[in-house]
Amino acid sequence: MAVSATQLRDIHIPGRAEGGSPELRGVLGVPEGTGPFPAVVVMHEAFGADEQMRLQVAKLTSLGYLTLMPDLYSMGGTRKCLIATARALRSGTGRAYADIESARVLLLERPDANGSVGVIGFCMGGGFALMTAADHGFDAAASNYGLLPRDLDAALEHACPIVGSYGGADRSLKGAAAKLETTLSRHGIPHDLKEYPGAGHQFMNTTVNGPAVFRPFARVSGFGPNPDAAADAWQRIDAFFREHLVPPAG
């Protein structure tokens, strides 16, 4: 059954890692049934945990995943937190990673979780999904038009399985899918990568996202929905997660 964004729960995420946000907010989606369910941490776009990102949480929940999106801007909103969060994305250190860990641990502590947990991100969040794919306790990662790490080999040499979706018309990430494919193949990381011709940035959203002043630029730059590409990407993500997010042995 489909889950609407209004059926999700806004929660407080207890701090589980040093240096995290003391008042970390999150959006939780629990599938119908008793479980146990595979768990997924959702990393939001640069514009924050807004309605479009809640729709992505709802989508994953409707597919049967126990889903939690931490708000990386909990300590001041987009204007105060965007720059520091973007710096953390590039450096690999900072409060954002502690907040991601707190969300991961909270999901695994729930009695309706099956013991496996993945991470998925969109735009900036897709970059965080790649940055946490190795040595952060995730069993699978999904990056949707996510910025690539500066040092791909260092970041992904020991990564968990990765599924990635990029737009062929996304000028901001030209060639990203091919670079990621080469790196993951070189290190023998299980992966499924696809670039969608004609799709731009944010192609998995239902509308152009961001502040009103940004939207004219976004449309000119090819940002925005591509329903056919989005449907195919979700099918691949679901199949990939179902393959890799399985209960630990024993």
Side-chain angles (χ1 to χ4, degrees):
M1 179 180 292
V3 177
S4 74
T6 58
Q7 292 175 285
L8 305 176
R9 289 173 50 199
D10 294 293
I11 67 168
H12 170 261
I13 302 175
R16 294 292 195 271
E18 184 177 354
S21 300
E23 298 295 332
L24 179 60
R25 299 186 301 270
V27 179
L28 177 69
V30 181
E32 291 187 351
T34 58
F37 308 107
V40 178
V41 175
V42 178
M43 307 312 306
H44 59 71
E45 294 183 341
F47 299 120
D50 59 13
E51 185 64 21
Q52 283 296 308
M53 293 298 98
R54 294 177 74 93
L55 288 173
Q56 307 294 22
V57 175
K59 175 67 175 181
L60 279 159
T61 305
S62 73
L63 292 173
Y65 299 96
L66 180 63
T67 310
L68 178 58
M69 175 173 61
D71 183 353
L72 300 184
Y73 301 156
S74 292
M75 299 308 295
T78 305
R79 290 185 179 181
K80 291 185 177 180
C81 299
L82 174 58
I83 293 177
T85 305
R87 287 174 176 167
L89 172 61
R90 302 306 282 159
S91 69
T93 61
R95 184 170 62 201
Y97 294 96
D99 290 346
I100 295 169
E101 174 64 6
S102 293
R104 187 189 73 87
V105 173
L106 178 60
L107 283 176
L108 290 178
E109 288 177 344
R110 290 180 56 96
D112 52 357
N114 77 354
S116 65
V117 60
V119 60
I120 185 173
F122 305 84
C123 179
M124 179 187 75
F128 276 112
L130 292 175
M131 289 293 286
T132 56
D135 305 320
H136 284 266
F138 289 111
D139 300 299
S143 176
N144 302 298
Y145 33 92
L147 184 68
L148 302 186
R150 285 175 173 168
D151 188 335
L152 276 172
D153 288 300
L156 300 176
E157 181 179 1
H158 303 293
C160 62
I162 293 174
V163 54
S165 302
Y166 289 82
D170 187 346
R171 300 174 187 173
S172 65
L173 292 168
K174 188 175 182 179
K179 293 176 183 177
L180 192 54
E181 171 77 42
T182 298
T183 301
L184 296 178
S185 295
R186 180 163 58 247
H187 295 295
I189 307 298
H191 62 278
D192 172 6
L193 293 175
K194 188 170 182 178
E195 183 178 88
Y196 293 92
H201 206 68
Q202 292 187 343
F203 73 82
M204 294 178 71
N205 287 353
T206 61
T207 185
V208 175
N209 209 17
V213 294
F214 170 78
R215 291 172 190 173
F217 165 80
R219 291 190 179 94
V220 171
S221 300
F223 283 45
N226 186 313
D228 290 340
D232 186 78
W234 274 118
Q235 184 178 45
R236 291 172 41 249
I237 291 165
D238 186 30
F240 197 84
F241 276 178
R242 290 186 186 282
E243 177 183 358
H244 295 286
L245 297 185
V246 296

